[in-house]
């Protein structure tokens, strides 16, 4: 039986599985396994080799028709243009490398957050609707289903004009990620971990409460910008730092920022997105590329 393979490249691991009918159809295979070098230590060529082997394990001998790969960073036409978490991959033409290894199948390399958005839409039976997701982790991701061409680095949209807001990993001033990113929060509070900041915010510490409010305002602001550009709808919040989200507060702040009557009706939901969600979404997008051929 021919199969589609979905792959997720996350910070520290890559995972792959065969996908059928918007469900993972076999076991999820991971790299690294015990005894393997960590992803961060792999040079680009060995990374390609590890990826190829993991895809072959997921296919388990079946013919592969499509491969979708969700990866962090900016990827265009198979070329990794920016890769903040795995810097050795910057400039790697992953598409060409995999096309050489799997010459007969449709190939799509897409932003991880777009894969997550598609996976959410598929597993919730809402492939007929626009689905957007913020992934909150070390950095920040913004994903959309259906996927559209473009850069879509919404994590770096400007949410404040304060020149002192310069904690974004990209170096830009006033960015969303410079307020919400885990790394940015550690730079801002040199004496406290993000977990402690949000804990003390709930206990009423003024400095921490003010920051928690800013954090939610920034997320509401970036979401309001998306609504003003792309229309209202449902926004999912996921990733390790979605545990800091106070959904009620976020709704109140968003409501203050979006007033045009035709743009009302958006809402937030916090959900866990295990690897299989991104794997399903990556495979689904690759199959659409194949169908469009
Ligand atoms: Zn930035």
């Amino acid at each position: 039986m021919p199969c589609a393979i979905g792959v997720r490249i996350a910070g520290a691991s890559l995972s792959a599985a065969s996908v059928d009918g918007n469900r993972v159809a076999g076991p999820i295979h991971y790299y690294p396994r015990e005894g393997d070098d960590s992803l961060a230590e792999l040079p680009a060529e060995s990374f390609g080799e590890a990826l190829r082997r993991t895809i072959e394990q997921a296919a388990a001998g079946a013919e592969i028709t499509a491969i979708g790969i969700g990866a962090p960073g900016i990827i265009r036409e198979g070329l990794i243009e920016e890769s903040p978490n795995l810097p050795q991959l910057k400039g790697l033409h992953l598409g060409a490398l995999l096309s050489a290894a799997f010459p007969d199948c449709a190939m799509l390399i897409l932003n991880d957050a777009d894969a997550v958005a598609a996976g959410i839409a598929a597993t919730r039976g809402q492939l007929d609707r626009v689905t957007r997701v913020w992934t909150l982790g070390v950095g920040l991701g913004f994903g959309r289903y259906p996927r559209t061409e473009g850069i879509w680095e919404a994590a770096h949209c400007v949410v404040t004009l304060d020149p002192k807001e310069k904690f974004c990993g990209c170096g830009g001033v006033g960015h969303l990620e410079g307020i919400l990113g885990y790394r940015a929060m550690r730079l801002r509070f040199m004496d406290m971990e993000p977990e402690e900041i949000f804990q003390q915010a709930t206990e009423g510490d003024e400095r921490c409460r003010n920051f928690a409010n800013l954090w939610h305002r920034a997320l509401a602001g970036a979401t309001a910008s998306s609504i003003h550009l792309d229309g209202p709808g449902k926004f999912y919040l996921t990733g390790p730092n979605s545990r800091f989200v106070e959904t009620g507060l976020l709704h109140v702040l968003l409501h203050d920022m979006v007033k045009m009557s035709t743009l009302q009706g958006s809402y937030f939901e916090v959900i866990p997105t295990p690897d299989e969600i991104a794997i399903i979404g990556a495979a689904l997008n690759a199959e659409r590329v194949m169908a469009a051929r």
Side-chain angles (χ1 to χ4, degrees):
M1 264 261 290
C3 68
I5 302 290
V7 182
R8 175 180 221 182
I9 302 174
S13 71
L14 58 90
S15 50
S18 170
V19 174
D20 183 30
N22 297 332
R23 294 214 320 267
V24 165
I28 300 179
H29 293 266
Y30 289 92
Y31 182 95
R33 290 186 295 187
E34 224 181 312
D36 289 334
D37 290 331
S38 78
L39 274 191
E41 290 163 20
L42 286 188
E45 311 84 69
S46 317
F47 176 85
E49 182 57 23
L51 186 57
R52 186 186 62 75
R53 264 189 285 121
T54 312
I55 292 170
E56 280 175 351
Q57 287 164 359
E63 181 202 342
I64 304 173
T65 53
I67 301 174
I69 299 174
I74 301 180
I75 301 113
R76 274 196 293 187
E77 317 244 323
L79 174 72
I80 301 182
E81 295 186 349
E82 292 291 341
S83 178
N85 296 325
L86 296 167
Q88 76 272 34
L89 301 186
K90 180 171 174 165
L92 176 68
H93 205 303
L94 199 55
L97 198 141
L98 287 169
S99 294
F102 304 99
D104 297 322
C105 59
M107 191 84 61
L108 179 69
I109 298 152
L110 69 161
N111 183 274
D112 177 61
D114 281 336
V116 171
I120 292 171
T123 52
R124 297 207 154 198
Q126 50 191 47
L127 288 169
D128 57 335
R129 261 169 282 165
V130 173
T131 296
R132 284 165 280 187
V133 61
W134 293 107
T135 59
L136 311 178
V138 176
L140 236 65
F142 177 77
R144 183 187 191 274
Y145 171 86
R147 208 176 132 259
T148 47
E149 287 302 319
I151 303 290
W152 295 97
E153 282 293 318
H156 302 275
C157 69
V158 174
V159 291
T160 167
L161 300 181
D162 183 346
K164 292 197 291 296
E165 288 293 342
K166 51 180 189 206
F167 298 114
C168 192
C170 82
V173 175
H175 290 190
L176 177 66
E177 186 177 305
I179 296 172
L180 269 79
Y182 196 81
R183 178 182 172 276
M185 286 193 275
R186 298 192 68 186
L187 285 173
R188 178 186 304 262
F189 283 78
M190 302 297 277
D191 56 339
M192 233 186 256
E193 293 294 328
E195 290 77 7
E196 298 172 276
I197 302 170
F198 285 93
Q199 179 58 38
Q200 297 208 12
T202 60
E203 291 163 6
D205 177 87
E206 195 185 348
R207 172 171 165 243
C208 293
R209 187 63 253 172
N210 286 342
F211 175 71
N213 289 346
L214 173 71
W215 195 90
H216 285 85
R217 286 184 75 81
L219 184 53
T223 304
S225 292
S226 175
I227 292 168
H228 287 109
L229 294 170
D230 199 17
K234 186 148 186 185
F235 289 82
Y236 291 93
L237 306 165
T238 191
N241 291 348
S242 59
R243 69 203 142 123
F244 300 140
V245 171
E246 297 168 42
T247 336
L249 174 60
L250 211 45
H251 281 124
V252 169
L253 293 168
L254 184 69
H255 192 257
D256 285 343
M257 293 173 181
V258 180
K259 287 297 181 189
M260 295 181 202
S261 59
T262 49
L263 299 183
Q264 300 296 312
S266 295
Y267 57 110
F268 293 101
E269 184 179 338
V270 177
I271 56 163
T273 46
D275 287 329
E276 69 174 70
I277 298 282
I279 288 172
I280 291 167
L284 181 147
N285 272 303
E287 286 182 299
R288 300 212 154 183
V289 168
M290 189 174 67
R293 270 184 182 178

